[in-house]
Amino acid sequence: MKPSGVIYVSRLMNCEVKNPEGETIGKLEELVIDAELGRAAYGVIKSSSGFLKSGKIFAVPCGALQLSEDESGLVLDVEKESLKNAPAFNKGRWPDMADRRWGNSVHAFFETTPFWEDRRQEDARERASRREEAGDQPGRSGERQEKPIIA
């Protein structure tokens, strides 16, 4: 089920994050917004008791998090053993989440496309759609044509 409309962050703060089997991973502690792009970038999860070491803090790309069917929490579809090796950090020493090198490593771990690349693809698709609606032919305006990469 894909949600429609908007979701208020206040509803998600401190909600449970579970794996697809329904096992609790932890709680959503923070939602990190990329100020430049105006997009949700990462959900910061603090693990609770269960199959992860309690108190482990890690950032998860928002693209890896799904709203639960009852919309009361989030689901992270990552294998347990893999999640045990997720890049973690201490409460007092957060990584620089604006650093694209750090972001690339986190996105690689969770096998998601970095949100800043998703945006470029969306923008290219929107420009192509507007040109198509206007009846423009590729290359007519002298504008460099970009072909979106569709995953």
Side-chain angles (χ1 to χ4, degrees), residues 49-106:
S49 59
F51 63 90
L52 286 177
K53 180 181 171 188
S54 185
K56 182 176 182 175
I57 301 172
F58 52 98
V60 176
C62 286
L65 295 166
Q66 301 296 316
L67 194 60
S68 63
E69 286 199 28
D70 64 3
E71 298 185 1
S72 67
L74 297 169
V75 177
L76 176 59
D77 191 4
V78 176
E79 294 192 24
K80 283 196 251 184
E81 288 305 311
S82 179
L83 195 54
K84 289 177 182 178
N85 297 315
F89 53 92
N90 296 322
K91 186 175 186 173
R93 293 191 47 131
W94 283 42
D96 177 1
M97 293 189 192
D99 179 0
R100 298 293 197 235
R101 288 176 299 199
W102 176 85
N104 278 323
S105 68
V106 171

Side-chain angles (χ1 to χ4, degrees), residues 5 12 26 29 60-61 73 88 113 117 121 135 137 149:
L12 296 177
E29 294 280 312
V60 176
T113 301
E117 289 179 12
Q121 292 171 11
Q137 296 294 320
I149 300 169

Side-chain angles (χ1 to χ4, degrees), residues 14-31:
N14 296 308
C15 74
E16 284 196 329
V17 180
K18 297 181 178 188
N19 66 12
E21 290 74 38
E23 298 169 298
T24 299
I25 294 170
K27 291 192 179 269
L28 183 69
E29 294 280 312
E30 286 285 347
L31 185 63

